[in-house]
Amino acid sequence: PPMAMYRDDDLEIVEMYRPSADANGELGRDTDVGADADDESGSDEENELNRMISNIGFGRYHRRVLALCGLGWLADNMWMQCVACILPRVQQHFGISNSRIGLMSSSMFLGLMCGALVWGPVSDRFGRLIAYRWTLVVSATFGLLASFVPSFSLLCLCLFGLGSGVGGNMPVDGAIFLEFIPREKRHLLTMLSIFFSIGSALTAAAALALLPPFSCPDDSGPEGCDVSKHNNGWRYLLVTMSLVTVCMVVLRNACFRLHESPKFLLQNKRRSDVVFVLKKIVHFNGGTAKQPLSSEYEESAAQARSADGADRGTGSGGLLPRRNTEESSSDSDTGSWLEWPEIDDTENTANSQTQQSTSKKSWARSFFNAAKSALDVGAYVRMLKPLFSRQLLRTTVLIWLIWGIVAMGFTMFNVFLPKLLEANSGKQPEASETTPGSHTIQIHVYRDSLIYAVSGVPGSIIGAWLVGTRLGRIYSMALSTFISGLALVAFAMAAKSSNSALTIVSSSVFGLMSTLMFAVIYAYTPEVFHPSVRGTACGTASALGRVAGIIAPLITGLLLEISTTVPLYVSVGLLWIAGGCMLALPIETRDVAS
């Protein structure tokens, strides 16, 4: 926007929250902010932005961002759980064998992989808002189309499109939230995973309500079941989840205006836009954000408030005094870019002229240039190079291994959970008591699935607390991963002994620990990478996890032909290997800023 629109007020707002300079003219460091991750490797601009975000604090704007970014995570697991719930019903509807039914989940994960590979780098090149606004639109569209398909192959195609949209939520929304919040609130990133669990529980509840009454009964009798008339519950569930996603689109795009990430803007040298965004955040928070911790500045602010006729600032409603000319001059000697719009209009003038020139171009030419830039594969490849630098090589490889191996082990259990529960329920003594035309087994299956989903909700809360303890990020995720493996061992034992109580307890423990595990993994990954490559790094890691998700259902379908417990023990081995990779990570991010 033109500088005249906000120069005076914006600089006053920014000056309020700018870290003060000491007697030597050097920027002071807030005692409760701690070390910045960019202090040694990043620029002074990045370090000062980190400290300024900490001074602004965590307010109403940040709570909105947490909730709306959480909707993206909710949609991700909501749709994955939806595919898992409808899998047995779709298999019955189209008469698909165990060895081929895994194609359904693999199509979804193939789309999730493509979505992560595309939306992550796109957010690094063109901004976080593009992915934020469009991923759920794509998801809702293909989800609705999937409910009307007449064949299994078209269903798989629509699930691929659905995954390509929802696949961008995990890497992009996590990066958006992380880049807005102060360092001392970064533990709240693990709280995003509570939406992950809520999405699973929401789908499980809807499945319990819609699938048994609108699906073929457990025992259709000699007449069989007309699937075209009596097995449409899975279609109703897809429609329901699509409508929920449409509501999320409205909330994210119509009910709240999210600004571009200040760290993305800084990486692209858009300093005036950084000032503009920070001003908007302070105003939205009501001017009640945390004040700088400089005692000298606080004393001057107190004196100004008590003095009659003192010169007060107006940009924030007079909360803090306007600094005098000598103070401003001293601060400008520090060379801070926070004063850049006031002392140097050259670049802004050039940008303004460029914007005017661009506005005169034809729409077709602008669209062509944007498409050409978006399809520049070489640019995306170059964005991967920093991830393989000497400093990041070990971290990058281990992160990618963790994402891939954990996704493989988790998917082999989670995607087939309703089918595994249905197979185990058929072995229970009460299964022989079912009457033709009843849905008793299905009700038990989706009830247990709901218990499993709800048990994961506390995992995110526990994770948010645990990462701040002496265990830190690395030991928290490793511990939860090993316990998840033990829970699967108990689940396999319950399957062999047909112990329904042990089945429910072991699946609930796995739901709790796996949610905690993913909460820390999803928080650690964006924290450990620099903002300039954060979207690409998280997107690539997520894509590798999706690749594992593509392979896992196919392998599980083949293993189920041998025994229902074989995939469970394979999952245990994979999870424990991933736990070993976690312990080998070289960087603990608990006490550093992003």
Side-chain angles (χ1 to χ4, degrees), residues 116-136:
L117 283 175
V118 171
W119 292 114
V122 163
S123 71
D124 279 341
R125 293 193 64 195
F126 303 105
R128 316 298 193 209
L129 292 183
I130 294 178
Y132 173 85
R133 289 170 178 165
W134 286 101
T135 52
L136 291 184

Side-chain angles (χ1 to χ4, degrees), residues 554-568:
L554 300 177
I555 297 176
T556 307
L558 296 174
L559 294 177
L560 285 173
E561 298 286 350
I562 303 173
S563 170
T564 57
T565 58
V566 172
L568 298 174

Side-chain angles (χ1 to χ4, degrees), residues 60 407 413:
R60 188 159 58 103
F413 172 78

Side-chain angles (χ1 to χ4, degrees), residues 276-337:
F276 179 76
V277 168
L278 294 178
K279 176 220 175 182
K280 289 295 184 181
I281 294 174
V282 173
H283 279 180
F284 192 89
N285 287 344
T288 58
K290 183 180 65 175
Q291 298 176 9
L293 297 179
S294 168
S295 59
E296 179 181 354
Y297 185 49
E298 288 181 349
E299 290 176 1
S300 65
Q303 293 173 1
R305 292 188 186 98
S306 60
D308 292 331
D311 182 18
R312 297 178 180 270
T314 60
S316 61
L319 282 175
L320 292 178
R322 185 193 303 272
R323 294 192 178 188
N324 58 37
T325 304
E326 294 180 359
E327 287 175 324
S328 299
S329 176
S330 174
D331 289 337
S332 65
D333 292 340
T334 68
S336 169
W337 65 271

Side-chain angles (χ1 to χ4, degrees), residues 72-73 75-81 83 104-120 135 139 156-171 196 403 407 411 415 522 538-550 553:
W73 288 41
D76 186 289
N77 206 31
M78 181 185 76
W79 280 110
M80 287 196 294
Q81 186 69 17
V83 172
M104 179 178 160
S105 300
S106 295
S107 299
M108 175 75 169
F109 275 97
L110 180 61
L112 291 169
M113 179 200 71
C114 294
L117 283 175
V118 171
W119 292 114
T135 52
S139 304
C156 291
L157 182 62
C158 287
L159 290 179
F160 168 80
L162 167 63
S164 67
V166 79
N169 291 323
M170 296 296 293
F196 202 68
W403 277 73
T411 304
V415 169
Y522 293 156
C538 295
T540 307
S542 180
L544 290 174
R546 307 310 190 184
V547 171
I550 297 170

Side-chain angles (χ1 to χ4, degrees), residues 257-526:
R257 182 186 176 186
L258 180 74
H259 298 285
E260 185 57 84
S261 160
K263 293 192 176 181
F264 169 82
L265 295 173
L266 181 60
Q267 291 298 322
N268 288 271
K269 309 301 181 185
R270 295 164 58 182
R271 298 180 181 88
S272 59
D273 290 336
V274 174
V275 174
F276 179 76
V277 168
L278 294 178
K279 176 220 175 182
K280 289 295 184 181
I281 294 174
V282 173
H283 279 180
F284 192 89
N285 287 344
T288 58
K290 183 180 65 175
Q291 298 176 9
L293 297 179
S294 168
S295 59
E296 179 181 354
Y297 185 49
E298 288 181 349
E299 290 176 1
S300 65
Q303 293 173 1
R305 292 188 186 98
S306 60
D308 292 331
D311 182 18
R312 297 178 180 270
T314 60
S316 61
L319 282 175
L320 292 178
R322 185 193 303 272
R323 294 192 178 188
N324 58 37
T325 304
E326 294 180 359
E327 287 175 324
S328 299
S329 176
S330 174
D331 289 337
S332 65
D333 292 340
T334 68
S336 169
W337 65 271
L338 294 175
E339 296 179 341
W340 169 84
E342 184 177 36
I343 64 176
D344 184 7
D345 282 340
T346 303
E347 184 176 347
N348 184 73
T349 302
N351 289 340
S352 178
Q353 293 174 353
T354 301
Q355 292 173 0
Q356 294 175 2
S357 175
T358 301
S359 64
K360 296 178 182 179
K361 294 181 180 179
S362 66
W363 179 90
R365 183 177 179 183
S366 300
F367 178 81
F368 174 78
N369 291 336
K372 182 179 179 181
S373 178
L375 297 175
D376 185 2
V377 178
Y380 294 115
V381 173
R382 288 190 295 272
M383 293 173 69
L384 291 173
K385 288 185 178 180
L387 300 178
F388 296 96
S389 62
R390 182 176 58 84
Q391 296 87 348
L392 281 179
L393 178 59
R394 180 179 173 185
T395 299
T396 300
V397 172
L398 287 173
I399 287 291
W400 288 358
L401 284 174
I402 290 168
W403 277 73
I405 297 173
V406 165
M408 175 76 78
F410 178 78
T411 304
M412 292 182 74
F413 172 78
N414 188 68
V415 169
F416 285 87
L417 177 61
K419 187 170 182 61
L420 293 171
L421 291 173
E422 196 164 306
N424 292 341
S425 296
K427 302 175 184 178
Q428 302 295 332
E430 56 269 21
S432 60
E433 302 175 2
T434 58
T435 58
S438 69
H439 298 83
T440 304
I441 293 179
Q442 293 184 42
I443 293 174
H444 288 170
V445 166
Y446 293 114
R447 180 205 61 193
D448 293 348
S449 297
L450 178 59
I451 295 173
Y452 162 74
V454 172
S455 67
V457 175
S460 303
I461 302 173
I462 296 173
W465 166 77
L466 203 60
V467 295
T469 65
R470 295 183 62 182
L471 287 176
R473 271 66 163 167
I474 292 176
Y475 287 109
S476 294
M477 67 173 126
L479 179 63
S480 58
T481 303
F482 287 125
I483 297 177
S484 297
L486 290 174
L488 284 187
V489 172
F491 187 89
M493 295 171 60
K496 281 188 176 181
S497 61
S498 301
N499 189 328
S500 59
L502 182 58
T503 298
I504 295 175
V505 172
S506 59
S507 63
S508 298
V509 172
F510 179 80
L512 175 66
M513 288 294 105
S514 61
T515 302
L516 198 161
M517 170 186 68
F518 278 116
V520 184
I521 292 175
Y522 293 156
Y524 179 87
T525 302

